[in-house]
Amino acid sequence: MVERVEAAVQDIEAFLAVAQTGSFTRAAESLGTSKSNVGKAVQRLEKRLGTRLFQRTTRAVRMTEDGETYLRAAHVALAGLRDAEQELAARKSEPIGRVRLDVPAGFGRLLLPGLAELQRRHPKLTLEMALSDRMSDPVAEGWDIVVRIGHLPADGEMTVRKLCDLRLGLYASPDYVKRKGPIDSLAELNTHDAVIFRGPSGRLRPWTVSDAGNVRDMVMEPVLVLADGQALVDAAANGFGIVQINDRVARPYVEAGRLVHILPAADVDGPPVHAMIPLGLRMPAKTRAVLNHLADSLRE
């Protein structure tokens, strides 16, 4: 079976060489074989297809209409095979070089411990990481991987891979809850201190909550407004008030006793997290290693 496939590919390569050079002799020279072998390869291909691909005369070789149709298909097929070969080679090669990541501030600090382990496994890998909540231009700024929560650009310059889903919940420090008292209902939130996030658009982000199964927005009067996702978490951990953040970012703070989960029944589905990679013929091994690590760690 493998031998038949290899022979078929060789016949297609012979056909392409004749089409490109316009000569069986020059095609043989480019392939490093004999004119007779090229002629037999084209004949086998024509027999298999049941049509003539070339009109041959003593002076010239011209492609038929069927030959032109097959030429277009052959180019696409061989390009796909070359891409597949490059991808398989990339998977086997060692991740070497620099990978530039742009990650939301709070989320990036969540990923740092795992990325340190990745770098220890691949010491020839260098990571450059920007932690920012602004909407960067992935292509213009030369990022290898951009992690985005929620909104994705509507252009076709990036390959998108979903990393995980999030849940949004309300959190505050144990000290704040002790000082202000326990919270038993959504109505009580209006008497509490709210730390609110200002998104890249400049708009204050309302809290989205589940109220007896109905999802609604709560516009809170803030005691503190922050445009940095990590600062939002730090403010809550330091007792400023209540914040709404995603479960992935909150989890290590809850486990460390720095935050407590308030009104879990009010949690709602949050936005998905995606990784975006610039389009190209193949993904370098270094980028693939980082991307797969992100996907695996967030899946856990």
Side-chain angles (χ1 to χ4, degrees):
M1 178 64 180
V2 173
E3 290 79 10
R4 289 202 300 271
V5 171
E6 290 178 350
V9 171
Q10 290 171 358
D11 292 350
I12 294 171
E13 289 176 337
F15 161 74
L16 288 173
V18 176
Q20 291 165 356
T21 62
S23 162
F24 280 75
T25 301
R26 289 193 292 272
E29 292 172 353
S30 69
L31 295 172
T33 186
S34 67
K35 179 181 177 181
S36 173
N37 285 341
V38 172
K40 290 177 182 177
V42 172
Q43 288 175 0
R44 285 194 299 270
L45 188 58
E46 289 178 328
K47 182 178 180 181
R48 193 158 59 246
L49 296 173
T51 188
R52 298 275 291 187
L53 299 175
F54 297 103
Q55 293 290 350
R56 307 164 178 82
T57 69
T58 55
R59 295 186 177 182
V61 176
R62 291 188 177 86
M63 204 175 306
T64 64
E65 183 178 353
D66 286 347
E68 291 175 351
T69 299
Y70 193 74
L71 177 64
R72 290 191 293 271
H75 274 307
V76 172
L78 288 181
L81 288 173
R82 283 193 294 270
D83 287 348
E85 289 174 355
Q86 289 175 336
E87 182 177 346
L88 291 174
R91 289 180 181 178
K92 295 178 181 178
S93 62
E94 182 182 4
I96 300 173
R98 183 180 67 166
V99 177
R100 303 183 71 235
L101 299 95
D102 184 38
V103 186
F107 213 72
R109 287 171 175 81
L110 174 69
L111 299 174
L112 276 174
L115 288 173
E117 174 58 31
L118 174 70
Q119 203 281 326
R120 285 192 287 271
R121 289 203 311 269
H122 301 293
K124 295 181 181 179
L125 186 67
T126 300
L127 299 174
E128 179 180 339
M129 194 169 178
L131 304 179
S132 172
D133 290 309
R134 71 181 183 89
M135 300 295 283
S136 62
D137 186 325
V139 176
E141 297 179 28
W143 298 108
D144 297 302
I145 301 174
V146 173
V147 176
R148 286 270 172 83
I149 299 175
H151 170 74
L152 293 176
D155 57 52
E157 295 181 306
M158 307 294 288
T159 297
V160 176
R161 178 171 175 180
K162 185 176 179 180
L163 298 178
C164 68
D165 290 303
L166 302 176
R167 291 277 289 174
L168 295 177
L170 300 170
Y171 297 85
S173 71
D175 176 68
Y176 174 87
V177 174
K178 182 178 179 180
R179 190 171 72 249
K180 293 285 189 173
I183 304 165
D184 298 317
S185 69
L186 289 173
E188 293 177 28
L189 291 175
N190 291 315
T191 65
H192 281 265
D193 299 335
V195 181
I196 300 298
F197 181 70
R198 188 184 296 277
S201 66
R203 174 175 169 264
L204 294 182
R205 187 172 295 168
W207 291 347
T208 303
V209 297
S210 175
D211 187 357
N214 298 313
V215 176
R216 65 181 178 91
D217 286 345
M218 293 185 66
V219 178
M220 303 295 295
E221 186 65 31
V223 298
L224 179 65
V225 175
L226 295 166
D228 181 290
Q230 182 58 40
L232 193 76
V233 182
D234 291 341
N238 283 285
F240 263 94
I242 302 170
V243 296
Q244 184 169 58
I245 55 178
N246 70 71
D247 56 338
R248 299 295 183 116
V249 169
R251 185 178 301 155
Y253 289 84
V254 173
E255 291 172 350
R258 298 190 64 196
L259 290 178
V260 292
H261 195 175
I262 295 170
L263 300 175
D267 287 3
V268 295
D269 289 334
V273 180
H274 294 92
M276 301 191 301
I277 308 96
L279 290 173
L281 287 178
R282 69 179 180 90
M283 190 184 303
K286 59 181 183 177
T287 305
R288 185 179 299 281
V290 176
L291 178 62
N292 288 342
H293 169 81
L294 292 177
D296 291 342
S297 61
L298 289 174
R299 189 181 302 117
E300 295 170 359

